[in-house]
Amino acid sequence: MKMEIPRPVLKDKRALVVGIANEHSIAYGCAKAFHELGATLAVTYLNEKARTYVEPVAKELEAPLFMPLDVAKAGRAGSRV
């Protein structure tokens, strides 16, 4: 039995990517791969200082959801969708 793999592999899938600091981050490499495979991305940043570095990356990856996320602070991991 032959299994057919849909192309692109992650079409109609969503990926939450945390930990991008800039275009040299491992998280950026993961996000770029997800994007190239067809996933819709949600990209987060830690604080306003990090936002200036992460926002250009999120735009490059066409992430429709770009928001702050600090899981060390209570109530910061709530849904915005």
Side-chain angles (χ1 to χ4, degrees):
M1 181 167 106
K2 184 178 178 182
M3 188 171 94
E4 191 166 319
I5 299 172
R7 301 284 184 217
V9 177
L10 296 178
K11 184 178 184 227
D12 299 325
K13 303 296 182 194
R14 294 177 181 88
L16 170 63
V17 182
V18 299
I20 296 177
N22 56 45
E23 68 277 1
H24 304 291
S25 299
I26 292 172
Y28 167 74
C30 295
K32 186 175 178 184
F34 295 153
H35 177 69
E36 289 172 357
L37 291 171
T40 301
L41 301 178
V43 175
T44 66
Y45 57 94
L46 181 61
N47 52 36
E48 286 304 312
K49 181 179 178 184
R51 181 183 183 141
T52 60
Y53 299 99
V54 182
E55 191 165 20
V57 173
K59 286 180 181 178
E60 173 195 334
L61 298 171
E62 302 172 348
L65 185 60
F66 177 66
M67 60 185 275
L69 176 65
D70 184 351
V71 297
K73 296 181 180 177
R76 296 301 290 259
S79 174
R80 287 205 179 186
V81 178

